[in-house]
Amino acid sequence: MVAKVIPVEDFDLVIFGGTGDLATRKILPGLYRRMLSGQMPKTSRIIGAARSEYDADAFREHVHQGLKDHVDQSLLKKRDVDAFLGQLDYLQLDIFTDDGWKALGEMLRGDVIRAFYFSVAPSLFGEIARRLVQFKLADQDARIVVEKPFGRNLETAKALNAELAECFDEKQVYRIDHYLGKETVQNLMAIRFGNALFEPLWNAQHVDHVQITASESLGVGGRGAYYDKSGAMRDMVQNHLMQLLCLTAMEPPSKFEANAVRDEKLKIIKALSPVAPNEVVRGQYSATEDKGSYIQDSENPESDTECFVAMKVEIANWRWAGTPFYLRTGKRLRNRLTEIAVVFKDPPHSIFDDTGTHLRGNALIIRLQPDEGITMRMTIKDPGPGGMRLREVPLDMTFAEALEGEDIDLPDAYERLIMDVIRGNQTLFMRGDEVEAAWNWIDPIINQWVEKGSKPIQYDSGGSGPDDALMLMHRDGRRWREIKQ
Ligand code: NAP
């Protein structure tokens, strides 16, 4: 079976920062793959804009190299690459000067969708927005795409929102959190709202707790100095983990439509209880024989930035009161893994008295990476003679295996999100009030650390984080799922 790809409408996409790392590694290779799939119209155009002294050919050469580095070689047939490069153009432009903007206006067509991707530092977002309006480059239907980080606290996020709101309607602003573009994140909604099986159980009466883990095996490496200015709370929890929490906990929206979904997510963020200091653990990885510690990688001997966070989160509403959500994210841990585990309550009574097995609750595990899929933890009879012995087994499904043999077009997160921008679908993008509400909840946690001058705890590289993070669950009589090798 070949998946049907519906082409989007014709568009002109301007990538401010078209020569930068994100554009070269993600955005342009992603667009190339969308062209191959037939989703990007052959007439659409992509214009890179940056200060580098390129002409169109030099930019094409730069992008060509990016494709060689970041796209599977088997997909790089000369005819396809030439066709894609032929859709590119370049404009040398310094966002802060008047030169170039008029020329940009002349490059854009009048009768197609206009999208402007701000793939530059957030400090430039406001300036680009103002210039687009000043030079009348953005009509009412134009879309702007802004990258994370969206502010570093409530105050800066509000200021950024206000700057953009001066120039664009909220319905034109697409704030990217690439986690939302992942196939499994959307599958989370399909599983919850496409199966009647789970909904009656999806509440505090039946769910003991939820664990959300996003672990990485790598350290901060070459971008340590940059990372040190944000940390795990700002870089992962405030956006990615909170989005996963919202999608797991929210009420069913009345329809799968941008504002209906975002309204429900916002209600969850607003229902989050303040977090007490003893319910958050922060850490930094220590050195190994051949790799430096976080302090060394960040090039900041005084650094008190965390690259690990574990926390217990309570949602004060009818559905979830009494069922905690535990969040955990960190660098240089045992493995790279992102998953949501919904752990159900233990059976209320065991009829198997002398099996010696404690009957544990079922768990539904939704894996975002690696091997996107779903596992259900079940109890079965241990096969063979010897009476009624019980054991736990995983009912395991990876999407790749379940759909084997089908020719599936699986766009990566960036590809999907860029096509959603062109389609005018904001469902998988964060709304301004959502971002502000998230900061409003996170800020007091970070402020507590700053006021107390608290230091992150050192943890061993290659493990599962500081012991205090294990204790966070142990003292509630629970435990983290293992981060397996
Ligand atoms: P980068 O490699 O530093 O690229 C920045 C781009 O902005 C370059 O193309 C640069 O080109 C251009 N630029 C800088 N000042 C300019 C000016 N005054 N006028 C016109 N162009 C200017 O940064 P990046 O890593 O691609 O990140 C871009 C954005 O994405 C940032 O907001 C970042 O936080 C976000 N982001 C990046 C990643 C990632 O993996 N890289 C992931 C998530 C989010 P010239 O020097 O030629 O002008």
Side-chain angles (χ1 to χ4, degrees):
M1 194 173 94
V2 179
K4 195 164 169 232
V5 174
I6 303 166
V8 295
E9 273 182 58
D10 198 7
F11 64 85
D12 281 351
L13 170 68
V14 179
I15 308 176
F16 294 105
T19 56
D21 177 68
L22 184 72
T24 310
R25 274 192 317 112
K26 291 282 179 190
I27 304 172
L28 288 153
L31 284 160
Y32 176 72
R33 284 188 291 262
R34 289 300 88 208
M35 183 212 75
L36 287 184
S37 77
Q39 199 168 19
M40 183 171 112
K42 291 190 169 57
T43 45
S44 290
R45 290 176 335 149
I46 301 158
I47 301 165
R51 293 167 305 179
S52 297
E53 286 183 26
Y54 287 154
D55 57 15
D57 282 337
F59 180 60
R60 288 183 188 122
E61 194 36 53
H62 171 87
V63 175
H64 192 182
Q65 188 56 47
L67 296 182
K68 285 182 194 158
D69 293 341
H70 304 291
V71 174
D72 194 306
Q73 293 305 309
S74 65
L75 300 178
L76 294 176
K77 295 204 178 74
K78 185 173 183 314
R79 197 188 50 192
D80 295 330
V81 172
D82 286 348
F84 181 71
L85 297 180
Q87 292 184 260
L88 303 185
D89 210 338
Y90 182 76
L91 178 74
Q92 190 187 346
L93 167 137
D94 183 338
I95 286 152
F96 291 101
T97 66
D98 282 349
D99 306 337
W101 293 92
K102 238 177 110 204
L104 180 58
E106 283 156 14
M107 290 167 95
L108 294 169
R109 294 171 291 167
D111 52 351
V112 297
I113 289 166
R114 286 184 184 185
F116 301 95
Y117 200 127
F118 297 9
S119 184
V120 293
S123 54
L124 307 189
F125 291 173
E127 189 65 22
I128 303 179
R130 280 188 290 276
R131 299 274 178 181
L132 288 175
V133 172
Q134 180 191 344
F135 288 91
K136 299 192 173 50
L137 299 181
D139 55 20
Q140 285 295 306
D141 195 36
R143 291 110 213 233
I144 62 167
V145 185
V146 292
E147 265 297 337
K148 77 162 206 177
F150 201 84
R152 56 177 281 109
N153 51 28
L154 178 59
E155 193 189 337
T156 47
K158 272 186 167 169
L160 212 46
N161 273 338
E163 273 190 300
L164 297 180
E166 268 174 36
C167 306
F168 293 94
D169 283 346
E170 181 64 29
K171 68 171 176 8
Q172 297 179 280
V173 182
Y174 291 73
R175 293 176 194 78
I176 283 217
D177 178 342
H178 73 271
Y179 257 56
L180 287 181
K182 287 180 187 282
E183 185 75 8
T184 324
V185 170
Q186 290 160 77
N187 239 322
L188 173 60
M189 286 189 271
I191 290 162
R192 280 199 62 193
F193 307 127
N195 298 287
L197 179 67
F198 296 115
E199 181 53 24
L201 306 176
W202 210 262
N203 52 50
Q205 202 188 336
H206 298 285
V207 176
D208 178 72
H209 71 278
V210 176
Q211 310 184 10
I212 303 179
T213 297
S215 71
E216 290 171 55
S217 53
L218 298 178
V220 293
R223 52 191 284 272
Y226 166 80
Y227 181 90
D228 201 50
K229 297 195 188 79
S230 58
M233 196 62 148
R234 290 190 170 96
D235 190 51
M236 288 295 291
V237 180
Q238 187 273 344
N239 37 53
H240 306 328
L241 293 199
M242 283 191 66
Q243 288 296 322
L244 298 183
L245 178 144
C246 285
L247 294 170
T248 309
M250 72 183 185
E251 294 300 312
S254 59
K255 53 187 163 190
F256 188 59
E257 182 267 322
N259 280 331
V261 173
R262 300 191 295 181
D263 285 347
E264 295 306 336
K265 287 197 289 164
L266 181 61
K267 282 187 211 158
I268 291 293
I269 300 175
K270 287 189 169 173
L272 297 177
S273 301
V275 177
N278 66 343
E279 287 172 346
V280 195
V281 176
R282 53 202 299 253
Q284 287 175 340
Y285 56 79
S286 48
T288 60
E289 266 177 24
D290 56 341
K291 289 192 191 120
S293 64
Y294 175 78
I295 292 283
Q296 288 163 322
D297 285 354
S298 68
E299 298 163 22
N300 176 7
E302 301 297 316
S303 172
D304 52 14
T305 302
E306 75 290 342
C307 60
F308 176 97
V309 173
M311 61 196 297
K312 177 180 175 181
V313 179
E314 305 268 4
I315 304 172
N317 68 11
W318 271 58
R319 187 186 280 264
W320 295 114
T323 292
F325 282 58
Y326 297 91
L327 313 183
R328 170 175 65 160
T329 181
K331 304 230 178 241
R332 198 71 83 62
L333 297 177
R334 190 169 298 129
N335 209 344
R336 179 166 176 258
L337 165 91
T338 306
E339 67 169 33
I340 302 166
V342 180
V343 181
F344 291 91
K345 292 195 169 165
D346 293 348
H349 165 72
S350 173
I351 64 166
F352 313 106
D353 349 292
D354 62 341
T355 59
T357 317
H358 168 67
L359 283 185
R360 278 212 294 164
N362 301 108
L364 176 71
I365 295 110
I366 300 160
R367 261 189 327 275
L368 278 76
Q369 64 188 19
D371 302 329
E372 298 191 325
I374 299 169
T375 301
M376 186 85 190
R377 186 175 74 201
M378 305 281 293
T379 299
I380 61 161
K381 179 186 169 295
D382 203 9
M388 196 61 181
R389 284 175 288 110
L390 304 177
R391 68 188 265 188
E392 282 172 10
V393 286
L395 201 62
D396 207 4
M397 181 185 89
T398 66
F399 297 143
E401 281 169 15
L403 306 172
E404 202 180 351
E406 298 188 23
D407 182 11
I408 295 172
D409 176 33
L410 268 188
D412 87 355
Y414 271 99
E415 295 171 44
R416 180 189 313 274
L417 292 172
I418 297 169
M419 290 298 108
D420 276 359
V421 171
I422 306 301
R423 275 192 288 253
N425 183 350
Q426 288 182 304
T427 310
L428 300 176
F429 296 83
M430 289 181 294
R431 207 167 56 190
D433 52 359
E434 244 184 282
V435 177
E436 289 183 15
W439 281 122
N440 193 39
W441 181 73
I442 292 278
D443 273 0
I445 305 172
I446 296 178
N447 292 344
Q448 278 172 7
W449 296 338
V450 175
E451 278 158 24
K452 292 204 175 111
S454 77
K455 288 275 184 195
I457 303 166
Q458 299 294 305
Y459 61 90
D460 290 342
S461 291
S464 53
D467 287 346
D468 290 41
L470 305 181
M471 284 311 297
L472 187 72
M473 289 195 85
H474 281 185
R475 66 177 182 233
D476 291 345
R478 302 182 174 109
R479 62 186 156 132
W480 291 104
R481 283 173 46 74
E482 200 186 335
I483 299 173
K484 293 207 176 96
Q485 193 66 47

